[in-house]
Amino acid sequence: LGCVYQAEKKYPEAISEFETTLKLDPKREDCFMRIGDVALDSKEYDKALENFKKALAISPKDAAVLCKIALI
């Protein structure tokens, strides 16, 4: 559902869904990536970097995470 909200640019709803998932499973790298993407789209670069770093801590060799961090 978070991805649907993100696609519809309903960013607060998307973040809420991703955060709910993280409460159930705090090791979901994809949720941190999605929150970071939403933050990037909203020009909240500090929040984006914070979430990408959380994703990197879970999956330190993930090239996609490293690329996102490089964008900032």
Side-chain angles (χ1 to χ4, degrees):
L1 190 56
C3 295
V4 172
Y5 285 137
Q6 183 180 6
E8 295 176 349
K9 299 190 185 313
K10 295 179 179 177
Y11 297 138
E13 293 90 342
I15 289 175
S16 177
E17 290 295 328
F18 296 134
E19 288 176 344
T20 297
T21 301
L22 284 168
K23 287 178 187 172
L24 299 171
D25 184 1
K27 295 291 184 183
R28 291 281 306 263
E29 171 204 353
D30 60 319
C31 289
F32 287 115
M33 289 290 289
R34 293 287 188 169
I35 293 171
D37 287 337
V38 168
L40 268 182
D41 290 344
S42 302
K43 297 183 179 23
E44 296 178 47
Y45 302 113
D46 290 339
K47 184 174 183 174
L49 183 59
E50 174 187 334
N51 281 281
F52 293 146
K53 284 183 177 180
K54 289 177 182 178
L56 188 64
I58 295 166
S59 187
K61 295 183 180 182
D62 188 326
V65 177
L66 295 169
C67 287
K68 293 287 184 171
I69 290 172
L71 287 174
I72 300 171

